[in-house]
Amino acid sequence: MRMYDIIKKKRDGFELTKEELEFFAKGAAEGFIPDYQLSALLMAIYFKGMSKRETADLTLAMAQSGDTVDLSDLGAVTADKHSTGGVGDKTTLIVAPIVASCGVSVAKMSGRGLGHTGGTVDKLESIPGYKTTLDREEFFDVVKKTGMSVIGQSGNLAPADKKLYALRDVTATVESIPLIASSIMSKKLAAGAECIVLDVKIGSGAFMKTDEQARALAREMIDIGSAAGRRTAAVLSNMDTPLGAAVGNSLEVIEAIETLKGGGPDDLKELCLTLAANMLVLAGKGDYEACFNLAQEILASGKAYETFKACVSAQGGNPDYIENTDLFEKAQFSCEVLAQTDGYISAMDAERIGTAACLLGAGRKTKEDSIDFAAGLEIKAKTGTKICKGETLAILYANDERLFDAAKTEYAAAIAIGNEPVEIQAVVIGSMR
Ligand code: URA
């Protein structure tokens, strides 16, 4: 089998066979297909798409490209969540401890930033000492001890995705339903949880810009999960504005900790409770209303905060930073983006806001790039807010002052200001089974 022929076949709009997709996944995992050919096929898939059958075959080939985890040893029902990617999305840091505090184990492998979106692993690495790589025994020990563990896509789990994810991040091939569905579901199937809740984002900061695309992606993923015998559901959520106020790694961890301590922005809290409730429903903890109330009580009681702190500690992180977030290293420089006119914020381009954070150092330009944990931004006015000329729209943080100009221009371009009041959209748009 030749990679050249597979690329040409997809480029010309034909369906790939199961064997061809297995060859592609194996070649990505084992490194015998060079990056330029992998990237060429990714671009062909981006333009020509894949059938449902091709997506399912690719997902299984990617899931089986490395180790699969058997979570049955944990002796508890297990639940997982995954976001399709957004800006300011720190939900895992809040949802996992809520669900774990309700007696459902969360043994989770998360990703790094992708394109303009952030990744949970990068965020967690901003906590000094936190190890995002654990061996199987350590990973299970942390879950048994604290009810949860969040690590990176460790060792040999879905290595085909690890390779393709990093290439997609730098070749503008992220926004594709078959590529997102196979990327997410290969990891979820390999990671072994019985219950899977997918947070499918819709809007300017999401990879899926329309309701229709997001529903198609959700359907594809739910069907793959269900066919593999996993209880799978999706929450559709709004990504027309970033979630919460903080964008950037340690800034988002701080906001998540504030939420676990009982504060935090309302949109973030609402989405976290919705995701947690859906995970608890799938795990058999009751109907939706009962599970939502349970999640709310657990968050308000401080138990989820304690669980998060215990997990951070068990993974080598310094719990003092969780107790006192002032300890997080701050960026050396900050600058404000000011409103140029009076009016109401009528729209935010969340993707451009994510890009502004990346320009400040919070994301990667190439897959070898390191990121600056303290870089990012704090949103001071979101869609619907009435503002006056000269008021602060956002504060940008960086360790290199030269990065401000481009980021400031990007942020300002992301904000539309109109004369009329606008209706604020709900963060939770719907759910699917
Ligand atoms: N998250 C993933 O894991 N993969 C994608 O392709 C997009 C978001």
Side-chain angles (χ1 to χ4, degrees):
M1 207 172 283
R2 289 195 323 160
M3 191 58 189
Y4 178 90
D5 301 322
I6 298 175
I7 297 168
K8 188 160 177 275
K9 191 170 172 188
K10 182 46 74 184
R11 181 201 71 187
D12 294 342
F14 295 102
E15 266 197 45
L16 300 178
T17 63
K18 186 166 186 279
E19 292 69 32
E20 285 164 339
L21 291 161
E22 282 170 355
F23 177 79
F24 170 50
K26 199 166 183 315
E30 294 177 10
F32 62 77
I33 302 174
D35 287 5
Y36 52 84
Q37 285 189 315
L38 294 173
S39 303
L41 185 59
L42 290 170
M43 191 56 91
I45 294 171
Y46 176 89
F47 280 116
K48 297 294 175 177
M50 290 212 290
S51 66
K52 242 180 143 69
R53 195 271 309 151
E54 283 177 293
T55 307
D57 283 346
L58 178 60
T59 306
L60 290 184
M62 286 165 67
Q64 287 155 9
S65 65
D67 301 336
T68 51
V69 184
D70 179 2
L71 295 179
S72 58
D73 282 3
L74 287 171
V77 59
T78 50
D80 199 350
K81 74 160 275 283
H82 201 95
S83 155
T84 58
V87 179
D89 182 3
K90 63 283 288 176
T91 53
T92 292
L93 308 179
I94 301 155
V95 173
I98 294 176
V99 172
S101 304
C102 297
V104 175
S105 295
V106 183
K108 183 160 171 46
M109 298 194 192
S110 286
R112 297 196 177 275
L114 185 66
H116 64 279
T117 69
T120 304
V121 169
D122 294 331
K123 292 171 206 194
L124 284 167
E125 285 179 352
S126 71
I127 304 171
Y130 189 100
K131 283 189 279 177
T132 54
T133 306
L134 299 180
D135 64 29
R136 185 189 173 282
E137 209 172 310
E138 291 170 320
F139 182 45
F140 274 48
D141 278 353
V142 176
V143 180
K144 282 184 183 155
K145 199 164 141 200
T146 71
M148 65 171 278
S149 175
V150 183
I151 58 173
Q153 195 177 329
S154 71
N156 201 27
L157 187 114
D161 176 62
K162 208 174 203 172
K163 177 75 187 188
L164 297 177
Y165 191 92
L167 286 176
R168 288 168 58 220
D169 188 26
V170 291
T171 57
T173 49
V174 174
E175 302 92 333
S176 148
I177 291 178
L179 293 178
I180 297 177
S182 54
S183 164
I184 292 179
M185 292 312 290
S186 62
K187 287 182 289 232
K188 298 299 99 179
L189 298 185
E194 299 158 75
C195 310
I196 302 167
V197 172
L198 303 158
D199 179 9
V200 181
K201 309 272 188 204
I202 311 173
S204 64
F207 296 125
M208 299 293 102
K209 306 291 182 206
T210 67
D211 196 80
E212 197 189 346
Q213 290 170 335
R215 284 179 194 274
L217 174 61
R219 185 76 274 144
E220 200 104 321
M221 293 194 290
I222 293 171
D223 289 349
I224 293 170
S226 306
R230 312 296 171 86
R231 281 169 262 164
T232 312
V235 171
L236 302 164
S237 68
N238 189 320
M239 191 28 77
D240 259 334
T241 60
L243 193 58
V247 183
N249 298 287
S250 64
L251 295 168
E252 291 191 42
V253 172
I254 293 168
E255 189 169 72
I257 294 167
E258 280 162 4
T259 308
L260 287 166
K261 285 179 176 168
D266 289 345
D267 60 344
L268 176 61
K269 211 161 21 181
E270 190 191 337
L271 180 56
C272 288
L273 292 172
T274 304
L275 292 168
N278 273 277
M279 288 166 81
L280 294 170
V281 170
L282 293 185
K285 291 283 173 187
D287 64 17
Y288 183 76
E289 199 185 330
C291 288
F292 191 91
N293 290 338
L294 177 61
Q296 213 164 17
E297 274 164 34
I298 289 287
L299 181 63
S301 70
K303 281 194 189 128
Y305 164 71
E306 292 300 337
T307 299
F308 182 70
K309 195 166 66 165
C311 168
V312 166
S313 220
Q315 288 192 218
N318 185 342
D320 295 349
Y321 282 68
I322 312 302
E323 279 167 16
N324 176 11
T325 54
D326 288 341
L327 294 175
F328 279 92
E329 204 169 301
K330 303 287 176 296
Q332 267 177 279
F333 306 104
S334 66
C335 105
E336 297 191 355
V337 184
L338 305 178
Q340 298 301 314
T341 173
D342 296 343
Y344 295 86
I345 300 189
S346 56
M348 297 175 96
D349 183 334
E351 177 168 345
R352 295 193 85 155
I353 295 176
T355 303
C358 288
L359 291 170
L360 293 165
R364 296 177 183 80
K365 286 185 283 302
T366 68
K367 70 185 171 60
E368 289 76 24
D369 261 2
S370 58
I371 51 178
D372 180 349
F373 292 130
L377 54 95
E378 197 185 335
I379 299 167
K380 290 293 186 191
K382 290 178 82 166
T383 305
T385 311
K386 188 172 191 290
I387 40 139
C388 298
K389 186 176 174 183
E391 236 176 89
T392 306
L393 296 176
I395 306 175
L396 312 184
Y397 298 97
N399 279 310
D400 179 347
E401 276 183 298
R402 290 168 303 180
L403 302 176
F404 283 137
D405 274 355
K408 216 169 157 177
T409 306
E410 192 69 16
Y411 194 94
I415 308 298
I417 297 176
N419 294 325
E420 303 299 325
V422 291
E423 212 176 299
I424 300 167
Q425 294 164 326
V427 65
V428 177
I429 295 170
S431 63
M432 286 167 68
R433 289 273 186 280

